[in-house]
Amino acid sequence: MTHVYLLYLLGCVVSLLLYKQNKIAAKVGFSISAIASGYGIFYFLMNLGGTESFTLGKNLLYNPTFSLDPLGNFFSFVVTLIAFASSIYAIQYTEEYEKKGSLAVMAALFNSFILAMLFVLSASDVFWFMICWEIMTIISAFLICFNDSKASLKAIMIYLGIAHFGGMCILGAFLLLANQSGSLEFSSFASISMTPVMGSIIFLLAFIGFGSKAGMFPFHVWLPKAHPAAPTNVSALMSGVMIKVALFGIIRFCLWLPVMEWWGLLMIIIGALSALLGVLYALTQHDYKALLAYHSVENIGIILLGLGTGVYGIATHSPTLASIGFLAGLYHILNHATFKGLLFLGAGSILFRTHTKDIEALGGLAKKMPITAFSFLVGSMAITALPPLNGFVSEWVTYQAMIQGAIGHGISSRAVFTLSIIALALTGALAVMCFVKVYSVIFGGTPRDMKIYEKAKEAPLSMVLGMLILVFGCVAFGLGANVVVENIMTVVTSFSDPYAIQANTVITSPLGSSISMPLISVVLIGALALPFVIIVAMKADKTKPIETDPWACGFKYNQRMQMTAGPFTGDLRKVMEWLFRSKSTVETDGYFKPVKYTNHPKDIWWDIFYQPVINLVEYSADKIGYLQNGSTNMYCAYILATLCLFLGISHIL
């Protein structure tokens, strides 16, 4: 554990020491990060069921002790897995930022970012958890700065605003919990008796605080702003693992508190809304990185469906339901980190070679970037839950958990579970629709912009290797479902009393159904091979077919005749206009010039939840500004009045 942390610290220090050697600093810094991550994957996996702790120094602030239990080991494994692929990817990718900023600083911040997340997962008291949490937030904001544009600066302000609001809620929950236990140590939180009202207040503060960082609805607005603005290796970490660290916090609080049934149902409702709204907004995006960010909202929703089912199972004293729910949530945490990291790396490769994030400007890239196209296809299949890849298995377990919850007692709980199952089914169908659009428009068809197409070529070796590592993960976590489930159940069964899920619990479903990933793989491979078998059996002509333009109804074919991203969602936008609030523009430049048509949907939740707060803050700031009049006498009067106020409060209390 300490060796992994020290390696990341070494990567940070060495990168800064090589500050004047920009390219060398990047290669060395990210290489050390890759080594640390590779070692971390092995260490945390081998010690998944164990516990370990260390103390930095008794003379430091508040005796900083860090410890990992099975749950912390699992999340640390997920962090280092995505960090491993992102670090290798960044070795050559970051050359793109050589003129935008110091690569040495980027490598140092990258190592520090991973280290901060690991410290959050292992912190053993409130003080050091909050310190590491805020450091993680600030470093991620600095990493977004490397794109140094007006859009990135706006994204940072939105991200920091929501992050610090969430941090305030988290700190409030911790302080209330510490007040109940009489200590800031996490070890004192496990056996607290409190009133249902106090427990609910603490849960809501923690759920809102961590949920804002996770990107759940309605705190999701920062994701489509920050992720597209960040460098791709950072986007993969932020979307793949940073938002999962927030889910770690939600699980921790649910294990500390005397949970109630409505907590689990609330998590399920928010999860269903996040999943459905996330995929709906993703469908209308023309920026493929913003599209992937909205899919993070969707998948956070799916994870909350599983975790909410687990919390509901704890509250109703149903060990099997709790087991399946937490299994589904943790499995999808691992899977989403893998395929979303892969998709962001694939998107970064496209941007690296084409220098555009506009889907409409691309086309036919499968011929120029075949490995990237293959990797993106695997990621697309995984995120849309197509067998035999990993996304299918975790969503299948989520369905099993929710179906078991839906046949339980209570009208309200059955209604919530049933409607959430429907929402999950709709989400799956819309996700398939979305990635058919994305993949076909970017990699299929003919080039829409010949200048972009002619310059495009396959990504450099380290970037390809980073993607292929996660391709292997998507396949391995799907085909090796039995092994993955066994390891995750090691984590689930480690939850301490009084919420312990009985060891050796057999995960069963009332439907009595089971899946065999190897059998599904054989069937799918056979189906894919069938056309080639028919060709051989029919003794078809094996000569190379003649390539020609598609039939264009007697007109000369033009690449502008092919379908773009807009028609995929045209009817959906009309039906859901109340949600998208699209703003359409049509630009013409004469009869013989192409017509430029744009349709940009707007996130209406920004106007509902955030714009009123922004307006209030701006109005208040203008009024408060009158106090800053430059008069020293008035400033002294302010100080005197404040002191009198605090003295009066202390006298009353």
Side-chain angles (χ1 to χ4, degrees), residues 71-190:
L71 185 63
N73 281 321
F74 171 78
F75 276 90
S76 297
F77 168 77
V78 176
V79 169
T80 51
L81 174 64
I82 308 307
F84 180 59
S86 299
S87 300
I88 293 175
Y89 183 93
I91 292 173
Q92 289 180 276
Y93 168 77
T94 49
E95 294 175 1
E96 184 84 355
Y97 293 87
E98 184 180 0
K99 296 181 180 179
K100 294 183 179 181
S102 170
L103 299 184
V105 173
M106 178 186 274
L109 289 174
F110 188 83
N111 280 276
S112 302
F113 183 41
I114 301 168
L115 184 59
M117 287 190 285
L118 294 175
F119 271 125
V120 168
L121 296 172
S122 59
S124 297
D125 60 75
V126 174
F127 179 82
W128 284 104
F129 183 96
M130 292 306 304
I131 292 293
C132 296
W133 180 268
E134 291 301 319
I135 290 173
M136 177 185 74
T137 300
I138 293 169
I139 292 175
S140 60
F142 278 125
L143 284 167
I144 298 173
C145 282
F146 272 88
N147 268 327
D148 194 20
S149 64
K150 186 177 180 180
S152 64
L153 293 176
K154 182 179 179 181
I156 291 168
M157 295 307 298
I158 294 171
Y159 167 54
L160 287 177
I162 294 177
H164 287 299
F165 168 77
M168 178 186 67
C169 293
I170 294 168
L171 182 59
F174 271 129
L175 292 179
L176 288 175
L177 197 55
N179 181 64
Q180 294 291 309
S181 68
S183 172
L184 293 175
E185 300 290 335
F186 289 169
S187 57
S188 67
F189 295 166

